[in-house]
Amino acid sequence: MAAKYYCADSENGDHVDDPSEDALFELIGELDDTDNTFVVIQPDQDYPAWFASVAVLDEGGYETVRRDTTRREHRATTETRIDRSASDLTLWMATRTF
């Protein structure tokens, strides 16, 4: 069954349909600096209008990139706390158009 709203895919092949804040927390927490360096969240459709990604930074912490072409939004932030990254992403995605 396809995601109703969006899905999350990590570099190591993990896939979660309609991830909750807790699921995002787990996906981000599993990132490392060798073979699972990022996770991408986007609508489960061809040519999605928005996406967000979280990547591990070499110096520690995480970079989150949010892009929404319909709102001409492109923002990158850094964070050291996984819970804050997951919470911010959940709130941001709740305001997207499906």
Side-chain angles (χ1 to χ4, degrees), residues 42-94:
Q42 63 187 13
D44 190 17
Q45 57 188 244
D46 293 333
Y47 312 108
W50 62 265
F51 77 90
S53 66
V54 180
V56 175
L57 295 173
D58 289 337
E59 61 275 5
Y62 305 90
E63 178 183 58
T64 301
V65 175
R66 298 168 185 87
R67 177 106 169 123
D68 188 332
T69 59
T70 60
R71 298 178 187 198
R72 296 183 177 176
E73 179 181 355
H74 187 200
R75 185 173 55 153
T77 58
T78 58
E79 184 58 64
T80 57
R81 292 179 41 191
I82 297 170
D83 61 330
R84 179 169 265 157
S85 292
S87 176
D88 289 350
L89 277 174
T90 301
L91 293 171
W92 184 80
M93 290 182 301

Side-chain angles (χ1 to χ4, degrees), residues 18-50:
D18 298 319
S20 64
E21 185 175 334
D22 289 340
L24 291 174
F25 180 91
E26 288 183 33
L27 287 169
I28 296 167
E30 293 172 355
L31 296 178
D32 59 47
D33 60 357
T34 56
D35 61 353
N36 191 31
T37 61
F38 66 86
V39 62
V40 175
I41 305 102
Q42 63 187 13
D44 190 17
Q45 57 188 244
D46 293 333
Y47 312 108
W50 62 265

